[in-house]
Amino acid sequence: MTPAFNALLQRRPAGVIAACTVLWALGYPPFPLGILGFAVLAPAMLATRALSPRRAFRAWFLAGLAGNAVMYWWIWHVVKVGPPLLVGGGVALLIAFLSLFNGLTGLALSAAQRSHRRRGLLVLFPAAFAGLEVLRAAGELSFPWANLAYALGDWPVLFQSVSVWGVYGLTAAMVAANLLLAEALGGGPAARLRFAGFAAIVLLLLAHGTATLRGANDTFAPRIGVALVQPSIPQVRKWDEGYFREVMAKTYRTLEGPARDLAPVRGADLIVLPETAVPDFIGTRREVTDSLRSVAAATGAHVIV
């Protein structure tokens, strides 16, 4: 690590964390920097060393506000179906809520770095990072976007290990790579060994992905009929409570098409409805879940909502 970079980490740790978080946001499609997911958090990890857990939470939270604003600016165009002030306030609250998870990430990292048992950092912090992603995807307020592993969405050769350990396992591996790179940049007698560990994670994922994709060409896979159902529903009316029954009626009418027309038998094997196909918390609409179960039973297909 150069003296200038080290001075920057000491004098402007919050700025370094914010810059890394914005670069992290630019790693998701359609932005092109996903490959940086293996390294983009390393400078932020080094900068966190200079902060107490309380300051680390604040720095990562504020950085999250900037990064999440870059990541979720498009939501405004999706939900602008009401008064601009109300919709804008809702988007701002969403960004603030998601930034709390950034703050918790910084808090966990700082606490782990200050622990007397730092040898467990390489295992415990990636697990904690992935655990926060699991937490963010749980419950009625679930928002499972922006998992670190999704940054590899444009790199299918590096994404194949999700078939082994899921998206959270890949996230943990990427966080471990960032940690090893941070430790290597920090210097010390084991710097080369840590850099080798960083390179090993990337190369192992690359080797596994290459073998998986190459083998896929030689593997027989049964064909299934898939129906993607997308009713034409005006965005400005979809969230109108008075229009709810009409939304669902149009969805059910659309489902009759794939049930009648698609091969291989008389219906599809898998029917996939779009995001927010049910414009409400589906758990509160027993009549909807009953109707969709009836569709699955009548068509013999699996239905994903």
mmCIF file of all heavy atoms in Angstrom, residues 204-228:
data_model
loop_
_atom_site.group_PDB
_atom_site.id
_atom_site.type_symbol
_atom_site.label_atom_id
_atom_site.label_comp_id
_atom_site.label_asym_id
_atom_site.label_seq_id
_atom_site.Cartn_x
_atom_site.Cartn_y
_atom_site.Cartn_z
ATOM 1 N N LEU A 204 -10.902 -20.556 -8.836
ATOM 2 C CA LEU A 204 -11.717 -21.744 -8.594
ATOM 3 C C LEU A 204 -13.134 -21.547 -9.120
ATOM 4 O O LEU A 204 -13.721 -22.462 -9.716
ATOM 5 C CB LEU A 204 -11.744 -22.068 -7.094
ATOM 6 C CG LEU A 204 -10.487 -22.726 -6.530
ATOM 7 C CD1 LEU A 204 -10.558 -22.805 -5.011
ATOM 8 C CD2 LEU A 204 -10.293 -24.122 -7.127
ATOM 9 N N LEU A 205 -13.699 -20.360 -8.898
ATOM 10 C CA LEU A 205 -15.027 -20.073 -9.439
ATOM 11 C C LEU A 205 -15.011 -20.095 -10.971
ATOM 12 O O LEU A 205 -15.947 -20.596 -11.606
ATOM 13 C CB LEU A 205 -15.517 -18.713 -8.942
ATOM 14 C CG LEU A 205 -15.868 -18.628 -7.457
ATOM 15 C CD1 LEU A 205 -16.175 -17.181 -7.068
ATOM 16 C CD2 LEU A 205 -17.051 -19.516 -7.116
ATOM 17 N N LEU A 206 -13.941 -19.571 -11.541
ATOM 18 C CA LEU A 206 -13.803 -19.567 -12.998
ATOM 19 C C LEU A 206 -13.678 -20.985 -13.540
ATOM 20 O O LEU A 206 -14.326 -21.345 -14.541
ATOM 21 C CB LEU A 206 -12.584 -18.734 -13.397
ATOM 22 C CG LEU A 206 -12.286 -18.624 -14.891
ATOM 23 C CD1 LEU A 206 -13.444 -17.934 -15.613
ATOM 24 C CD2 LEU A 206 -10.988 -17.850 -15.125
ATOM 25 N N ALA A 207 -12.869 -21.812 -12.875
ATOM 26 C CA ALA A 207 -12.676 -23.190 -13.333
ATOM 27 C C ALA A 207 -13.970 -23.989 -13.214
ATOM 28 O O ALA A 207 -14.339 -24.747 -14.124
ATOM 29 C CB ALA A 207 -11.562 -23.850 -12.520
ATOM 30 N N HIS A 208 -14.656 -23.826 -12.096
ATOM 31 C CA HIS A 208 -15.922 -24.546 -11.908
ATOM 32 C C HIS A 208 -16.950 -24.112 -12.947
ATOM 33 O O HIS A 208 -17.648 -24.949 -13.537
ATOM 34 C CB HIS A 208 -16.468 -24.295 -10.496
ATOM 35 C CG HIS A 208 -17.810 -24.908 -10.251
ATOM 36 N ND1 HIS A 208 -18.991 -24.219 -10.486
ATOM 37 C CD2 HIS A 208 -18.181 -26.143 -9.823
ATOM 38 C CE1 HIS A 208 -20.012 -25.001 -10.210
ATOM 39 N NE2 HIS A 208 -19.557 -26.165 -9.796
ATOM 40 N N GLY A 209 -17.046 -22.799 -13.180
ATOM 41 C CA GLY A 209 -18.009 -22.300 -14.150
ATOM 42 C C GLY A 209 -17.701 -22.771 -15.560
ATOM 43 O O GLY A 209 -18.609 -23.139 -16.314
ATOM 44 N N THR A 210 -16.423 -22.767 -15.930
ATOM 45 C CA THR A 210 -16.029 -23.227 -17.261
ATOM 46 C C THR A 210 -16.390 -24.693 -17.459
ATOM 47 O O THR A 210 -16.950 -25.081 -18.487
ATOM 48 C CB THR A 210 -14.516 -23.026 -17.459
ATOM 49 O OG1 THR A 210 -14.194 -21.636 -17.311
ATOM 50 C CG2 THR A 210 -14.087 -23.488 -18.845
ATOM 51 N N ALA A 211 -16.084 -25.518 -16.446
ATOM 52 C CA ALA A 211 -16.402 -26.946 -16.541
ATOM 53 C C ALA A 211 -17.907 -27.179 -16.589
ATOM 54 O O ALA A 211 -18.397 -28.032 -17.332
ATOM 55 C CB ALA A 211 -15.782 -27.687 -15.354
ATOM 56 N N THR A 212 -18.648 -26.407 -15.814
ATOM 57 C CA THR A 212 -20.103 -26.576 -15.779
ATOM 58 C C THR A 212 -20.732 -26.221 -17.118
ATOM 59 O O THR A 212 -21.570 -26.967 -17.650
ATOM 60 C CB THR A 212 -20.719 -25.703 -14.674
ATOM 61 O OG1 THR A 212 -20.179 -26.094 -13.404
ATOM 62 C CG2 THR A 212 -22.228 -25.839 -14.640
ATOM 63 N N LEU A 213 -20.332 -25.094 -17.687
ATOM 64 C CA LEU A 213 -20.909 -24.669 -18.960
ATOM 65 C C LEU A 213 -20.487 -25.592 -20.098
ATOM 66 O O LEU A 213 -21.275 -25.858 -21.009
ATOM 67 C CB LEU A 213 -20.498 -23.228 -19.260
ATOM 68 C CG LEU A 213 -21.073 -22.167 -18.318
ATOM 69 C CD1 LEU A 213 -20.536 -20.788 -18.672
ATOM 70 C CD2 LEU A 213 -22.600 -22.163 -18.377
ATOM 71 N N ARG A 214 -19.260 -26.076 -20.040
ATOM 72 C CA ARG A 214 -18.810 -27.005 -21.076
ATOM 73 C C ARG A 214 -19.569 -28.327 -20.978
ATOM 74 O O ARG A 214 -19.962 -28.902 -21.980
ATOM 75 C CB ARG A 214 -17.308 -27.247 -20.934
ATOM 76 C CG ARG A 214 -16.695 -28.082 -22.048
ATOM 77 C CD ARG A 214 -15.189 -28.125 -21.900
ATOM 78 N NE ARG A 214 -14.619 -26.798 -22.029
ATOM 79 C CZ ARG A 214 -13.360 -26.497 -21.697
ATOM 80 N NH1 ARG A 214 -12.573 -27.415 -21.154
ATOM 81 N NH2 ARG A 214 -12.905 -25.272 -21.862
ATOM 82 N N GLY A 215 -19.788 -28.788 -19.747
ATOM 83 C CA GLY A 215 -20.512 -30.041 -19.569
ATOM 84 C C GLY A 215 -21.980 -29.927 -19.919
ATOM 85 O O GLY A 215 -22.620 -30.917 -20.273
ATOM 86 N N ALA A 216 -22.526 -28.707 -19.815
ATOM 87 C CA ALA A 216 -23.954 -28.522 -20.114
ATOM 88 C C ALA A 216 -24.265 -28.846 -21.562
ATOM 89 O O ALA A 216 -25.379 -29.267 -21.889
ATOM 90 C CB ALA A 216 -24.369 -27.086 -19.786
ATOM 91 N N ASN A 217 -23.293 -28.665 -22.441
ATOM 92 C CA ASN A 217 -23.519 -28.948 -23.858
ATOM 93 C C ASN A 217 -23.629 -30.440 -24.128
ATOM 94 O O ASN A 217 -24.149 -30.851 -25.164
ATOM 95 C CB ASN A 217 -22.382 -28.354 -24.699
ATOM 96 C CG ASN A 217 -22.336 -26.839 -24.613
ATOM 97 O OD1 ASN A 217 -23.370 -26.198 -24.488
ATOM 98 N ND2 ASN A 217 -21.149 -26.271 -24.667
ATOM 99 N N ASP A 218 -23.096 -31.252 -23.203
ATOM 100 C CA ASP A 218 -23.084 -32.696 -23.410
ATOM 101 C C ASP A 218 -24.128 -33.418 -22.568
ATOM 102 O O ASP A 218 -24.223 -34.640 -22.604
ATOM 103 C CB ASP A 218 -21.692 -33.259 -23.063
ATOM 104 C CG ASP A 218 -20.591 -32.577 -23.860
ATOM 105 O OD1 ASP A 218 -20.839 -32.266 -25.042
ATOM 106 O OD2 ASP A 218 -19.515 -32.343 -23.292
ATOM 107 N N THR A 219 -24.914 -32.669 -21.770
ATOM 108 C CA THR A 219 -25.858 -33.284 -20.849
ATOM 109 C C THR A 219 -27.264 -33.218 -21.416
ATOM 110 O O THR A 219 -27.719 -32.160 -21.846
ATOM 111 C CB THR A 219 -25.818 -32.568 -19.485
ATOM 112 O OG1 THR A 219 -24.476 -32.617 -18.976
ATOM 113 C CG2 THR A 219 -26.760 -33.244 -18.499
ATOM 114 N N PHE A 220 -27.948 -34.367 -21.413
ATOM 115 C CA PHE A 220 -29.335 -34.391 -21.870
ATOM 116 C C PHE A 220 -30.229 -33.783 -20.808
ATOM 117 O O PHE A 220 -30.147 -34.151 -19.637
ATOM 118 C CB PHE A 220 -29.781 -35.815 -22.162
ATOM 119 C CG PHE A 220 -31.265 -35.927 -22.414
ATOM 120 C CD1 PHE A 220 -31.791 -35.548 -23.641
ATOM 121 C CD2 PHE A 220 -32.123 -36.361 -21.426
ATOM 122 C CE1 PHE A 220 -33.159 -35.618 -23.874
ATOM 123 C CE2 PHE A 220 -33.490 -36.442 -21.651
ATOM 124 C CZ PHE A 220 -34.004 -36.070 -22.883
ATOM 125 N N ALA A 221 -31.064 -32.872 -21.197
ATOM 126 C CA ALA A 221 -32.014 -32.269 -20.265
ATOM 127 C C ALA A 221 -33.410 -32.394 -20.857
ATOM 128 O O ALA A 221 -33.614 -32.110 -22.044
ATOM 129 C CB ALA A 221 -31.675 -30.806 -20.024
ATOM 130 N N PRO A 222 -34.375 -32.835 -20.081
ATOM 131 C CA PRO A 222 -35.734 -32.968 -20.619
ATOM 132 C C PRO A 222 -36.316 -31.604 -20.969
ATOM 133 O O PRO A 222 -36.028 -30.606 -20.327
ATOM 134 C CB PRO A 222 -36.501 -33.616 -19.455
ATOM 135 C CG PRO A 222 -35.722 -33.251 -18.229
ATOM 136 C CD PRO A 222 -34.294 -33.205 -18.659
ATOM 137 N N ARG A 223 -37.142 -31.587 -21.997
ATOM 138 C CA ARG A 223 -37.788 -30.350 -22.410
ATOM 139 C C ARG A 223 -39.073 -30.153 -21.618
ATOM 140 O O ARG A 223 -39.793 -31.101 -21.333
ATOM 141 C CB ARG A 223 -38.098 -30.377 -23.907
ATOM 142 C CG ARG A 223 -36.868 -30.364 -24.788
ATOM 143 C CD ARG A 223 -37.262 -30.377 -26.259
ATOM 144 N NE ARG A 223 -36.093 -30.330 -27.114
ATOM 145 C CZ ARG A 223 -35.496 -29.209 -27.518
ATOM 146 N NH1 ARG A 223 -35.997 -28.043 -27.133
ATOM 147 N NH2 ARG A 223 -34.437 -29.241 -28.287
ATOM 148 N N ILE A 224 -39.346 -28.903 -21.248
ATOM 149 C CA ILE A 224 -40.591 -28.588 -20.549
ATOM 150 C C ILE A 224 -41.238 -27.391 -21.241
ATOM 151 O O ILE A 224 -40.560 -26.578 -21.871
ATOM 152 C CB ILE A 224 -40.367 -28.281 -19.050
ATOM 153 C CG1 ILE A 224 -39.513 -27.030 -18.871
ATOM 154 C CG2 ILE A 224 -39.753 -29.474 -18.333
ATOM 155 C CD1 ILE A 224 -39.420 -26.569 -17.420
ATOM 156 N N GLY A 225 -42.556 -27.327 -21.125
ATOM 157 C CA GLY A 225 -43.285 -26.184 -21.666
ATOM 158 C C GLY A 225 -43.409 -25.106 -20.608
ATOM 159 O O GLY A 225 -43.865 -25.367 -19.495
ATOM 160 N N VAL A 226 -42.972 -23.897 -20.929
ATOM 161 C CA VAL A 226 -43.002 -22.776 -19.989
ATOM 162 C C VAL A 226 -43.870 -21.661 -20.567
ATOM 163 O O VAL A 226 -43.675 -21.261 -21.711
ATOM 164 C CB VAL A 226 -41.590 -22.231 -19.699
ATOM 165 C CG1 VAL A 226 -41.663 -21.067 -18.717
ATOM 166 C CG2 VAL A 226 -40.692 -23.335 -19.160
ATOM 167 N N ALA A 227 -44.824 -21.198 -19.772
ATOM 168 C CA ALA A 227 -45.682 -20.087 -20.194
ATOM 169 C C ALA A 227 -45.378 -18.871 -19.332
ATOM 170 O O ALA A 227 -45.395 -18.950 -18.102
ATOM 171 C CB ALA A 227 -47.152 -20.473 -20.041
ATOM 172 N N LEU A 228 -45.047 -17.759 -19.977
ATOM 173 C CA LEU A 228 -44.827 -16.492 -19.284
ATOM 174 C C LEU A 228 -46.081 -15.648 -19.465
ATOM 175 O O LEU A 228 -46.415 -15.271 -20.591
ATOM 176 C CB LEU A 228 -43.600 -15.769 -19.852
ATOM 177 C CG LEU A 228 -42.300 -16.569 -19.861
ATOM 178 C CD1 LEU A 228 -41.169 -15.743 -20.474
ATOM 179 C CD2 LEU A 228 -41.927 -17.002 -18.460
#
